[in-house]
Amino acid sequence: MKFNNILIEKSAGIAQITINRPQKLNALNKETIQELSEAFQVLEEETKIKVIILTGSGDKAFVAGADISEFADFSVNEGGKLAKLGQEMLFNLVENLATPVIAAVNGFALGGGLELAMACHFRIASDNAKMGLPEVSLGVIPGYGGTQRLPQLIGKGKAMELIMTAAMISADEAKTYGLVNYVTTQEELLPLAEKLASRIMRNSSVAISAAIRAINANFEDGVNGFDIEIEEFGECFGTKDFTEGTTAFLEKRKPDFPGI
């Protein structure tokens, strides 16, 4: 895969996607969103890739926001299409990816950047990270899922405050609110992401994918998450991973999951 705005590295079952527009603080433009969408879809099809880490290049920004110059003169109709296409092409795709995605937030994650991090399955951050949804200061609202995912992660009241005030919060505040799971130094950020990825990889990739679907179902309108959990739980019994996992447990050895 050859891209203009992202880099991909693979090692021992882990793929790292780095958004590489340092001159623009890794801002999301149309081409970058398209490239990220393609990369996630390709990596999901690679059975050897068990975890994806998403980060930004340099030491200043994960993603500093959307590239405002691309839509500053849009009409109402064009603005609606922009949000719909972006959500479908990338943000919803990442949230529902069967392969776990860890966001390693290494600096500013603002606007679309925070929305992208929130679409990942969980987040860790460097201690210099700053996060926020400043869209109302531009006369618009978050359009890539921010008004939905931020309340899910930190609660309605605090999300209302952060969106209405357009405030930036520190990594430590984000951890306090439950927006990120860990805060570490910039030097230790990717090693920590890889350590977490390694822990995930010890387990059944089939079961992890089922867990992602069940967890996400709880946040879908008109869907009973408990029913999806029951369905996914039952489906696990028909997998070779279940046979290997239970057999290994009874034989008091570590499992060697085939991933099917």
Side-chain angles (χ1 to χ4, degrees):
M1 294 179 286
K2 291 185 178 180
F3 298 108
N4 295 321
N5 302 298
I6 64 175
L7 305 172
I8 298 177
E9 300 175 58
K10 305 174 191 176
S11 177
I14 301 172
Q16 179 180 313
I17 301 176
T18 303
I19 302 167
N20 188 36
R21 301 184 74 214
Q23 73 283 3
K24 296 287 187 178
L25 293 178
N26 302 323
L28 293 177
N29 61 358
K30 183 178 179 181
E31 184 181 36
T32 304
I33 288 175
Q34 177 67 48
E35 290 185 358
L36 284 167
S37 177
E38 292 176 10
F40 277 112
Q41 291 179 73
V42 170
L43 291 171
E44 186 175 32
E45 294 300 317
E46 295 190 22
T47 56
K48 291 183 178 180
I49 299 301
K50 302 300 183 183
V51 182
I52 300 170
I53 297 170
L54 178 65
T55 194
S57 64
D59 57 5
K60 293 182 179 179
F62 172 74
V63 174
D67 196 331
I68 297 170
S69 64
E70 285 195 336
F71 56 81
D73 59 352
F74 271 19
S75 66
V76 170
N77 187 50
E78 288 172 321
K81 287 182 178 178
L82 176 72
K84 186 175 188 295
L85 181 62
Q87 288 190 28
E88 292 174 351
M89 182 183 295
L90 179 60
F91 297 82
N92 294 348
L93 170 71
V94 172
E95 181 176 58
N96 294 300
L97 210 70
T99 305
V101 183
I102 303 171
V105 181
N106 58 310
F108 289 111
L110 304 175
L114 180 54
E115 289 174 300
L116 180 56
M118 290 192 293
C120 297
H121 296 124
F122 63 90
R123 292 142 295 285
I124 63 175
S126 57
D127 51 17
N128 69 316
K130 300 286 186 183
M131 301 170 214
L133 296 174
E135 284 87 348
V136 296
S137 68
L138 300 174
V140 70
I141 69 169
Y144 288 145
T147 64
Q148 306 305 299
R149 293 190 179 99
L150 188 61
Q152 290 171 4
L153 290 166
I154 70 171
K156 181 180 176 181
K158 199 63 186 180
M160 284 280 196
E161 176 191 340
L162 292 180
I163 291 172
M164 289 179 186
T165 62
M168 276 197 299
I169 60 173
S170 68
D172 286 334
E173 288 175 302
K175 184 174 182 293
T176 299
Y177 301 150
L179 185 54
V180 302
N181 293 13
Y182 300 95
V183 176
T184 187
T185 64
Q186 192 143 41
E187 293 75 18
E188 291 299 316
L189 182 64
L190 289 177
L192 175 58
E194 291 165 1
K195 181 179 180 180
L196 292 167
S198 295
R199 290 180 183 174
I200 292 170
M201 290 166 58
R202 297 173 191 165
N203 304 310
S204 163
S205 59
V206 176
I208 287 169
S209 297
I212 290 171
R213 290 190 292 271
I215 293 167
N216 284 345
N218 185 54
F219 297 99
E220 294 181 35
D221 287 340
V223 176
N224 187 316
F226 290 100
D227 289 343
I228 300 302
E229 180 184 275
I230 291 167
E231 179 183 337
E232 293 290 351
F233 178 79
E235 290 292 331
C236 287
F237 282 72
T239 68
K240 291 186 178 180
D241 273 13
F242 174 76
T243 301
E244 169 60 15
T246 52
T247 301
F249 177 81
L250 294 172
E251 293 177 353
K252 298 181 179 180
R253 62 174 174 81
K254 292 183 179 180
D256 182 16
F257 293 111
I260 53 177

